[in-house]
Amino acid sequence: MSGDYARRIPPRALPVAMAAVVGVLYATGSLLGWGGRAFIAWAEVGAAGAAAVSLLLSSRMPDGVPADGAGSPGGIWRASWRWFGIAAASWFVGALGSALSDGHVRSALSLSVPDLFYLVALGALVTGLVAPIRLPRDAGTWLRYAADTYVCACALFVLGWVALFGGLYHRSGEAPSEFLLELLYPLIDIVFVCGALPFVLGAARGHRRLAWMGYGALTAIAVADLVTTFVRLDGGGPSDDPSDILRLAGLLLLLLVPWTGPAAEPDLPVDDIPPDVEVAGEQCGRMIGPGIAPAAVAAAAALFIAGHSLTGHNGLEPGISIAAGSAALVLIGRLAGLLRENEALRRAVGTGEEHFRALSESINDAVLICDLDATVRYASAGALRTYHYTADELLGRPLNEIIHPEDLPRVQDVFTEFLDEQADDVGPQDALRVSCRLRAADGTWVPTESTISRYSGSDGAPSRLLVTTRDLSEQAALQRQVAHLTFHDGLTGLPNRSYFEERTREVLSRQPSGGRAAVVFVDLDGFTAVNDSDGHAAGDQVLAQAARRLRATVQSDDTVARWGGDEFAVLVQLPPDDGETRATVELAGRLLRVLSVDPYQVGSKHIVLTASVGIAFAGDEERPDAGADAGRRIRRSAADLMRNGDLAMARAKELGGGRVEVFAPHMHADVVRRLELGSDLQAALAEEQFSVEFQPVVDLSTSRVTGVEALLRWRRDGEAVPPEEFIGPAEESGLMIPLGDWVLREACREVARWRGDAWDVGLSVNFTARQIAAPRFVESVAAALAETGLPPQALTLEVREEVLVEDAGQNVARLSELRDLGVRLAIDDFGTGYASLAYLGQLPVDVIKIDPSFVAGLGSDDTLTLLTRTIVRLGSDLGLTVVAEGIERPEQLELLREMGCPRGQGFLVARPMEARRVESLVRTNLAGRDRPGDVALPLPG
């Protein structure tokens, strides 16, 4: 047959036409009496053989080969066809044997070989209906199935007995056992028909038409056997038996099974869709049926009717038979209703359970169903995926085997309490929330949070627990990351100040008697210059390298932290021996060396820095009150320990850096005193406790007083406070600006008055960097001169070298404005290392004052003597006035005169004095001089 012809003829046309022709020929032959029984027997043989060939060949087609124009069913339904083919083949053999025996009558009293093949055919046909069904595994379902089958079989038997066989039994006069043997074939057929019904009802969608065709064949054969048995018992012959047409119809249905193809079922409401199960990519049906209780009632009624009918003396009257038969029919109808209702309920529950399982499979949380003893009975895909278990590893396993041993007692306690509340129904919780760690398949512990509640499955049993577990690994990791960022420095990776403080409190709290610990504070000297010259990125690289050096130097149980800026702190846990102080000092020395010896690599540059290191030991801090609670005492001790370490580091920095200082109690006392001085300075300024003293500056060659230097003095509670004690705090607190303005005005007022008394004298006033940086510094100096009447050329502003070198642009610009007004400028304490001699000519100065440390070494230190001589000569060459400070011995005075130093001041020349003593000196001196305006002091030599 060509391909075009094959495409013109539908694939189903040939088998359907063959079945139609066979049916028409058979019906025509039966009506016309062609061939008698032989024709009928051989027609049955032909139909059975055709059905066997059709089914067995179709079952061998590979997947995807079209059989009906739409495609063939999968392997599950081809297995069903194979069993149908075996049934047709067995029927073919039995029918062939019957045709050859010429008039064989099927009866249990005379069983033959063909009868065995008929029975095999019935079994194979039922097996074909069962093959595509997913069989249940629980005994309860099979018990219900047996009850359903029994009830249906009994009901049909009672109906047949009352309607057909009861009268025959009474007329036959046979014994009950013999008569039942006569009914063996119908009874077997009834059992098969009733037993196969639950599998046909539960066929998967798309394949129900095939199931019903196979079931129709089984029913047709069963009815045919029933008719044959009735005709035979009623005394009829084979020619009177019309049942062959039913057998042929059943065989034709089997013949058409492979050619009808799967049919799409109509859309049904959700509750009417049986929950089919997918196996190997195909859907399997399920077995359905009514409950045990109605089946037992129907079975009892059927047994009563059958027993009464078989054991009654006179049989049943026609009316009673009709009533019994109708009752049996009603019972069957009732069972059908119960079957439908029960199945609807089961489908509803099954649908809900399927929805639950679909939901549990679609979420990331792990969903478990457990017994009350926490044994896992169901695990969702999320559970298997999250914890990397297989289903066999998790199912049937108690949960306590995968709970962390540290969490297990707590979980068991709350779990037992939850179950007790549920059992007692006394304020039961709707759900239990519990957090614990669970072991994954790879052995790691996963932090989780679980919700536990009661669960009732499709069997309605409430003795299950629903456990929904959420993996908190990401949340825990995020919390750890937040904690790390909170307590660690992002640049160096070291713990930060908050962590160091908490760690210090922890160490002190677990150590006896306040703790055996020490802190080492480290500060990089000159780090600010790195940021200013090379940028903050370079500074960050230096800090990172310093952190690595520190971490590599300390012990593993010591804590290194970045305290802030370029400061680091080390917490040292001390051994309980007498060598703790020495070991800590040695550690501080090593830290100083690793930070100072090797340069820091920043790009192609090498930066050399030193460090200031301070040490404080636990126990050096002030002890809290004995009445304070333990936590408060620990916090106070830790705070004091860290404060002391910071003070020791600050002391090392004040002393020039590059050194180690151990905290001493006087350091804290000095800080307290400085703070107290800062607060007292405010009151002293308001109460005018300050005064101005004047120290004369003389011409060393003539002893003539050329000027006076104004010095600030403070008497607190009648005692003089040394200037070195309060000048610093005044500078730090910002009080130096108003104090400087007050000193300038007072000094200008006195000197202006002296100049009004014919004393030609100049005034020198010291100014700090903060005073010069004040917003209206130039205006305040000009206002003081204008207010007091002192000529600008009579005023000399003294500043230290660093004022002109550091931030020279702004400071030099302001001092240049005053110099343009006529005010003179002097460098105080010249030679301390800020301004080089070569740079001196570029500064807008008029006077240089040699630092007292140089003058103190005159005559005893050749180097200092040479430097002093060089400064005097350089100042003379540059046209600057040179003033030597700190002259205290006659030999110093003689050397300065010999060097040609023009001016000087010091205790040997004149001590600082109050304004009234200066006035007395001036009056006495002026009264004895012929030249007005000159005041001379009696100097040695």
Side-chain angles (χ1 to χ4, degrees):
M1 182 180 293
S2 66
D4 294 339
Y5 182 73
R7 285 193 294 269
R8 288 196 299 269
I9 300 178
R12 299 179 182 177
L14 184 59
V16 173
M18 290 175 58
V21 169
V22 172
V24 170
L25 290 176
Y26 176 78
T28 303
S30 298
L31 294 176
L32 298 179
W34 293 347
R37 289 292 303 170
F39 173 79
I40 297 173
W42 286 106
E44 185 176 340
V45 171
V53 173
S54 174
L55 288 164
L56 292 176
L57 290 179
S58 298
S59 66
R60 295 174 60 85
M61 289 189 302
D63 291 342
V65 176
D68 55 359
S72 63
I76 294 177
W77 279 95
R78 286 205 305 274
S80 180
W81 294 351
R82 191 176 300 114
W83 282 107
F84 288 167
I86 294 173
S90 298
W91 195 273
F92 168 78
V93 175
L96 181 62
S98 298
L100 294 176
S101 62
D102 190 18
H104 168 71
V105 179
R106 298 182 63 195
S107 172
L109 298 177
S110 57
L111 290 175
S112 62
V113 174
D115 292 332
L116 297 179
F117 282 99
Y118 287 136
L119 293 176
V120 171
L122 291 176
L125 187 56
V126 173
T127 303
L129 295 173
V130 176
I133 301 300
R134 183 173 181 266
L135 300 179
R137 298 180 180 179
D138 57 302
T141 302
W142 285 109
L143 182 61
R144 289 194 296 272
Y145 167 74
D148 295 345
T149 303
Y150 178 73
V151 167
C152 292
C154 288
L156 291 177
F157 172 74
V158 169
L159 181 62
W161 181 266
V162 172
L164 299 175
F165 299 107
L168 295 176
Y169 168 69
H170 289 295
R171 291 196 302 269
S172 67
E174 296 181 2
S177 57
E178 295 177 353
F179 194 80
L180 285 177
L181 284 176
E182 295 283 356
L183 301 180
L184 181 60
Y185 276 108
L187 290 176
I188 293 175
D189 292 334
I190 289 173
V191 172
F192 280 163
V193 169
C194 294
L197 181 60
F199 302 100
V200 176
L201 293 174
R205 293 185 62 190
H207 301 288
R208 294 175 182 173
R209 178 192 298 171
L210 305 179
W212 282 108
M213 290 181 67
Y215 189 72
L218 176 64
T219 304
I221 294 172
V223 174
D225 285 345
L226 183 65
V227 172
T228 298
T229 302
F230 177 79
V231 170
R232 179 172 52 80
L233 292 177
D234 197 34
S239 60
D240 300 326
D241 185 5
S243 61
D244 289 328
I245 189 65
L246 294 175
R247 294 189 181 92
L248 183 61
L251 292 173
L252 293 178
L253 285 175
L254 290 180
L255 174 65
L256 296 176
V257 163
W259 307 100
T260 56
E265 297 291 333
D267 293 335
L268 299 176
V270 174
D271 291 343
D272 293 335
I273 299 177
D276 302 328
V277 179
E278 188 171 299
V279 177
E282 299 183 62
Q283 285 189 336
C284 290
R286 52 171 298 191
M287 185 178 68
I288 61 176
I292 296 177
V297 173
L303 287 175
F304 173 78
I305 295 174
H308 189 277
S309 174
L310 293 175
T311 59
H313 295 290
N314 300 319
L316 296 176
E317 296 297 329
I320 298 177
S321 299
I322 294 174
S326 63
L329 290 175
V330 172
L331 178 60
I332 293 176
R334 178 58 179 158
L335 283 177
L338 291 175
L339 174 68
R340 183 178 180 83
E341 294 176 5
N342 184 65
E343 189 57 31
L345 293 176
R346 289 177 61 83
R347 279 199 296 267
V349 174
T351 302
E353 186 168 352
E354 289 299 319
H355 290 171
F356 159 75
R357 291 179 184 268
L359 178 62
S360 67
E361 299 295 330
S362 64
I363 62 177
N364 292 326
D365 292 349
V367 179
L368 305 175
I369 297 177
C370 305
D371 293 333
L372 293 182
D373 60 355
T375 301
V376 179
R377 297 304 178 190
Y378 164 79
S380 66
L384 304 179
R385 182 173 57 251
T386 301
Y387 303 106
H388 310 293
Y389 286 107
T390 63
D392 294 337
E393 292 175 333
L394 201 56
L395 297 181
R397 185 176 186 178
L399 282 179
N400 56 14
E401 293 184 2
I402 61 174
I403 298 178
H404 197 283
E406 297 177 0
D407 300 338
L408 185 57
R410 173 176 55 84
V411 174
Q412 287 179 333
D413 291 342
V414 297
F415 184 75
T416 303
E417 182 181 356
F418 172 74
L419 292 181
D420 292 342
E421 289 181 354
Q422 292 287 339
D424 298 339
D425 198 23
V426 179
Q429 306 178 44
D430 293 335
L432 171 66
R433 290 184 179 272
V434 61
S435 299
C436 64
R437 289 163 289 179
L438 298 180
R439 185 175 63 242
D442 57 2
T444 59
W445 294 103
V446 181
T448 63
E449 181 183 52
S450 300
T451 302
I452 304 174
S453 59
R454 289 282 190 172
Y455 174 76
S456 297
S458 59
D459 56 358
S463 58
R464 295 283 180 92
L465 295 174
L466 176 64
V467 182
T468 305
T469 301
R470 173 165 298 178
D471 182 5
L472 301 182
S473 298
E474 294 184 0
Q475 181 178 345
L478 180 60
Q479 290 176 347
R480 289 194 298 270
Q481 182 179 3
V482 171
H484 181 83
L485 295 176
T486 303
F487 293 104
H488 285 76
D489 176 56
L491 174 62
T492 63
L494 295 177
N496 59 14
R497 180 172 181 172
S498 299
Y499 180 91
F500 188 83
E501 292 174 346
E502 184 62 31
R503 177 65 176 162
T504 303
R505 287 192 290 267
E506 178 187 351
V507 170
L508 294 183
S509 65
R510 67 168 183 253
Q511 298 286 352
S513 303
R516 308 288 291 178
V519 293
V520 180
F521 275 71
V522 180
D523 181 85
L524 298 179
D525 301 327
F527 177 77
T528 303
V530 176
N531 283 335
D532 295 341
S533 60
D534 299 311
H536 289 275
D540 291 344
Q541 295 183 43
V542 170
L543 291 176
Q545 295 177 43
R548 289 194 293 270
R549 297 181 186 183
L550 291 173
R551 188 161 41 197
T553 305
V554 302
Q555 299 292 330
S556 59
D557 56 346
D558 296 338
T559 302
V560 182
R562 184 183 178 190
W563 188 255
D566 59 335
E567 295 184 21
F568 299 89
V570 181
L571 176 63
V572 182
Q573 301 186 53
L574 301 175
D577 54 37
D578 296 335
E580 58 184 28
T581 302
R582 180 178 178 181
T584 306
V585 173
E586 290 177 353
L587 172 63
R590 291 197 300 272
L591 296 179
L592 178 61
R593 287 192 295 274
V594 299
L595 293 177
S596 305
V597 173
D598 296 330
Y600 297 88
Q601 182 75 32
V602 179
S604 60
K605 297 181 61 176
H606 291 80
I607 300 176
V608 178
L609 297 176
T610 60
S612 299
V613 182
I615 308 172
F617 295 91
D620 292 340
E621 69 276 2
E622 296 181 4
R623 292 296 181 185
D625 297 337
D629 60 90
R632 183 179 176 185
R633 288 198 302 271
I634 293 297
R635 288 192 298 271
R636 175 68 183 277
S637 298
D640 291 345
L641 178 61
M642 291 179 285
R643 178 205 63 196
N644 295 344
D646 197 18
L647 288 175
M649 181 196 68
R651 177 64 176 169
K653 204 168 189 67
E654 289 176 1
L655 296 177
R659 57 188 297 149
V660 177
E661 285 291 325
V662 180
F663 173 79
H666 70 81
M667 295 181 182
H668 181 242
D670 292 343
V671 173
V672 173
R673 184 165 57 252
R674 289 168 70 91
L675 292 176
E676 293 176 351
L677 284 174
S679 61
D680 291 345
L681 283 171
Q682 293 276 5
L685 183 60
E687 298 174 3
E688 299 182 354
Q689 296 179 5
F690 295 98
S691 62
V692 179
E693 292 187 351
F694 300 91
Q695 185 175 22
V697 178
V698 301
D699 188 324
L700 296 183
S701 61
T702 62
S703 301
R704 183 173 62 87
V705 178
T706 60
V708 292
E709 180 180 357
L711 302 175
L712 180 62
R713 295 293 183 262
W714 179 27
R715 297 186 67 84
R716 183 176 61 171
D717 299 331
E719 296 182 0
V721 180
E724 59 271 15
E725 291 188 8
F726 71 84
I727 292 297
E731 181 78 5
E732 294 173 0
S733 62
L735 288 176
M736 203 60 217
I737 296 177
L739 268 177
D741 291 343
W742 180 83
V743 170
L744 178 63
R745 280 178 168 76
E746 289 295 319
C748 288
R749 185 178 294 108
E750 293 292 342
V751 173
R753 186 161 53 82
W754 294 339
R755 291 177 66 88
D757 293 339
W759 183 21
D760 187 13
V761 63
L763 172 65
S764 298
V765 182
N766 285 280
F767 284 88
T768 65
R770 181 167 294 185
Q771 288 177 272
I772 297 174
R776 297 182 56 82
F777 170 70
V778 176
E779 290 82 354
S780 64
V781 174
L785 294 174
E787 179 182 336
T788 59
L790 182 69
Q793 60 273 13
L795 177 63
T796 300
L797 300 183
E798 295 186 9
V799 296
R800 295 179 63 86
E801 295 178 55
E802 62 266 23
V803 176
L804 299 177
V805 177
E806 296 178 359
D807 195 15
Q810 183 181 18
N811 292 341
V812 172
R814 293 187 173 188
L815 294 174
S816 297
E817 292 183 34
L818 292 176
R819 200 161 180 262
D820 293 340
L821 296 177
V823 177
R824 292 158 56 86
L825 180 62
I827 297 180
D828 193 18
D829 298 333
F830 182 80
T832 54
Y834 282 89
S836 66
L837 297 178
Y839 189 60
L840 186 60
Q842 304 176 21
L843 298 176
V845 297
D846 303 287
V847 180
I848 55 175
K849 302 184 73 173
I850 302 176
D851 188 76
S853 61
F854 289 86
V855 177
L858 292 178
S860 60
D861 190 322
D862 293 341
T863 301
L864 292 178
T865 301
L866 178 61
L867 289 174
T868 303
R869 188 183 301 275
T870 303
I871 294 173
V872 171
R873 183 179 303 152
L874 181 62
S876 175
D877 294 342
L878 295 176
L880 303 177
T881 301
V882 180
V883 179
E885 294 185 285
I887 304 175
E888 297 182 353
R889 299 192 306 274
E891 60 269 23
Q892 296 171 350
L893 177 61
E894 290 302 324
L895 283 173
L896 289 171
R897 284 175 173 171
E898 184 268 331
M899 294 177 186
C901 182
R903 296 181 183 179
Q905 67 181 110
F907 286 173
L908 181 64
V909 176
R911 289 180 176 274
M913 60 190 71
E914 296 179 354
R916 62 176 181 272
R917 289 186 58 192
V918 175
E919 291 178 5
S920 177
L921 175 64
V922 170
R923 292 192 190 97
T924 302
N925 204 304
L926 289 178
R929 300 290 255 175
D930 296 333
R931 182 180 176 183
D934 286 342
V935 176
L937 296 178
L939 298 181

